Amino acid sequence: MAKNDPYAALRIKEFNIFLLVRFALVFGWSMQFVVIEWQVYAMTNDKLSLAIIGLCEFLPAFFLAPFAGHIADKKEKRNLFALCIALFSLISFGLFWLTSNQIESSWSTNTILYSIYSLVFFGGVLRAFFGPTIFSLIGLLVPKKIYPNAATWSSSTWKGASVFGALLGGFLIAWIGVHYTLGIIFSLVMLSLLLVFGITKKPILNQGNTETVKESLKAGLNFVFNDKVVLGALTLDMIAVLFGGAVAIFTVFAKDILDAGPKGLGILHAALSSGSILTMLATTYIPIAKSTGKKLLISIFGFGLCMIVFGASKFMWLSVSALFLAGVFDGISMVVRQTILQLKTPDHMRGRVGAVNSMFVGSSNELGAVESGIAARLFGAPLAVVLGGTVTLIVVSVIGLKNKPLRTLDLQQDIEEHEKES
């Protein structure tokens, strides 16, 4: 393998299978998010209903994450991943069934709505397990010296699936309707379930540990909260998603402000994600290990600025441009954060650290949806996004000044040490 090989991780067969599985899952999940947001808002015409969707996913994903990390460290990763996918297929089929003509004609609107909320809640339970399981599995598929490259490709795949999933989800609502779109999503989940068995079972690195659940959870939390670099990186990303993100109310912008319809909704989602994936692909050729901390701080500050522009925009072209640039900055921060976590986390604690990552970042997507929905109802969607972007700028500035280890972080030396060890 040549030094700085941009395709280093792709030369490993099982990692390629993992990327295919992840693409199919995220592609389906992104489509499902767009479809359900659109369907629920169409049923209720209430911004608060979008907040409820976020809350239904946030509560189980956040509170079960530490326990899920403990399980992920104790169990074999491939089979645990497969089990999560199998259970997710039940959610996809349930949503497909709930939107059928038979159910819509025989059930009341409230019954269907509450059933959708219930399935979303179950999805939040699974989200708690998906995060630490995937994070742990990546560390078992590639050698440490190419963790940055693997993190880049994994994040790029995630964002790429988000781009096309969100874009196609919006267009499919217009072309074939909600019900048949959810049928396609169910097929994608089943495909990912078949593909995952192309990965062999992996060793359980924490098998001999006799820690109780309480001790295990405490050890994972202590590691994160005692490491200023890891804690700072997670906090920055959490704040950006929680306050700066506005994905949950894109439906409001597409329908009420920009008058762009479901196709416009797909374009808004795709603009944000496409900026991210293009940036991530660029980082496979242009390493970002040097001055890592400064790049993380600048990227999240830039993200906040772009979201302020998006919130204030009344024009589709300006909104799409602002979201694309926000995606560019988001792509940089995501690659940096994943690289920090992969290099700084001991192998036997990957599940628990991945769980804390899910609590900070993954669950903040759902909590951010709650915050966005409530703020949009109280202040209106444009002002809610502008205020959120402003909070992001303030927090980034404070952390940049107070957290010197993160501000001066340079991962190049860590990477060189792993190369010497191999």
Side-chain angles (χ1 to χ4, degrees):
M1 186 186 73
K3 190 173 182 180
N4 294 329
D5 181 1
Y7 306 106
L10 298 185
R11 302 186 193 283
I12 300 173
K13 180 181 178 180
E14 287 193 331
F15 185 73
N16 285 321
I17 295 174
F18 166 80
L19 291 184
L20 287 173
V21 172
R22 192 169 199 198
F23 184 89
L25 272 178
V26 177
F27 190 91
W29 200 304
S30 299
M31 287 177 63
Q32 186 168 289
F33 179 85
V34 172
V35 173
I36 293 305
E37 290 274 331
W38 183 267
Q39 177 71 359
V40 168
Y41 191 59
M43 292 170 64
T44 64
N45 199 32
D46 186 357
K47 301 177 183 67
L48 190 61
S49 64
L50 303 177
I52 293 174
I53 291 176
L55 188 63
C56 286
E57 265 204 289
F58 163 74
L59 289 175
F62 183 84
F63 289 105
L64 289 177
F67 178 74
H70 171 77
I71 296 298
D73 278 335
K74 292 287 187 180
K75 299 295 182 180
E76 195 279 315
K77 309 302 183 291
R78 195 283 307 269
N79 283 350
L80 184 59
F81 193 25
L83 177 61
C84 290
I85 297 172
L87 292 174
F88 179 49
S89 71
L90 298 179
I91 297 174
S92 296
F93 182 79
L95 291 169
F96 171 69
W97 178 66
L98 283 173
T99 55
S100 64
N101 289 331
Q102 179 183 359
I103 296 300
E104 290 186 342
S105 62
S106 59
W107 289 21
S108 69
T109 299
N110 281 342
T111 301
I112 295 174
L113 183 64
Y114 295 145
S115 298
I116 291 174
Y117 288 153
S118 298
L119 288 175
V120 171
F121 183 88
F122 183 31
V125 173
L126 291 181
R127 283 283 294 272
F129 287 86
F130 266 120
T133 302
I134 290 173
F135 181 75
S136 301
L137 188 58
I138 293 175
L140 297 173
L141 294 175
V142 300
K144 286 186 177 181
K145 63 182 179 181
I146 59 172
Y147 277 175
N149 186 256
T152 299
W153 281 111
S154 179
S155 298
S156 299
T157 299
W158 184 84
K159 275 296 181 182
S162 297
V163 170
F164 297 109
L167 180 62
L168 188 59
F171 277 86
L172 286 178
I173 293 172
W175 291 341
I176 63 176
V178 167
H179 177 62
Y180 291 107
T181 303
L182 288 169
I184 293 174
I185 294 168
F186 174 68
S187 300
L188 285 169
V189 177
M190 294 307 297
L191 174 62
S192 68
L193 182 59
L194 293 175
L195 289 172
V196 77
F197 290 102
I199 300 173
T200 59
K201 292 182 179 181
K202 300 303 173 188
I204 305 173
L205 302 178
N206 203 29
Q207 193 169 18
N209 196 310
T210 59
E211 287 179 325
T212 64
V213 174
K214 183 178 179 180
E215 291 171 341
S216 175
L217 301 183
K218 184 178 180 180
L221 290 171
N222 284 342
F223 172 80
V224 171
F225 282 92
N226 289 332
D227 190 307
K228 288 188 175 181
V229 169
V230 173
L231 180 62
L234 290 178
T235 302
L236 280 171
D237 215 58
M238 179 188 71
I239 294 299
V241 173
L242 179 59
F243 293 105
V247 173
I249 54 175
F250 277 2
T251 300
V252 180
F253 280 89
K255 190 172 183 290
D256 300 338
I257 297 172
L258 300 172
D259 194 26
K263 292 181 181 179
L265 175 62
I267 292 172
L268 293 180
H269 279 280
L272 181 63
S273 296
S274 59
S276 296
I277 188 174
L278 290 175
T279 304
M280 291 175 185
L281 290 173
T283 62
T284 63
Y285 294 89
I286 308 171
I288 57 174
K290 293 195 71 67
S291 302
T292 317
K294 291 179 181 178
K295 289 175 181 174
L296 179 62
L297 291 165
I298 291 172
S299 64
I300 296 181
F301 192 90
F303 175 83
L305 284 176
C306 291
M307 294 310 297
I308 291 174
V309 173
F310 169 73
S313 170
K314 296 291 190 295
F315 306 101
M316 187 65 178
W317 67 268
L318 181 58
S319 298
V320 170
S321 299
L323 288 178
F324 178 82
L325 289 176
V328 169
F329 289 118
D330 184 49
I332 296 172
S333 69
M334 183 175 292
V335 170
V336 171
R337 177 172 54 84
Q338 287 297 321
T339 302
I340 289 172
L341 292 179
Q342 288 290 352
L343 287 174
K344 297 290 185 182
T345 304
D347 288 336
H348 68 282
M349 294 186 68
R350 290 190 176 279
R352 283 163 288 177
V353 174
V356 177
N357 179 45
S358 296
M359 292 174 68
F360 269 76
V361 181
S363 296
S364 61
N365 284 292
E366 288 74 48
L367 189 59
V370 177
E371 182 272 333
S372 296
I374 294 174
R377 194 178 192 191
L378 291 175
F379 310 115
L383 181 57
V385 175
V386 171
L387 290 175
T390 303
V391 171
T392 302
L393 299 186
I394 294 171
V395 173
V396 172
S397 300
V398 172
I399 291 179
L401 291 172
K402 298 289 186 179
N403 193 332
K404 184 178 179 180
L406 178 64
R407 187 176 67 248
T408 58
L409 176 67
D410 192 313
L411 288 176
Q412 188 61 43
Q413 184 176 355
D414 291 43
I415 295 171
E416 290 173 356
E417 288 177 359
H418 286 305
E419 288 178 345
K420 291 177 181 178
E421 291 174 2
S422 61

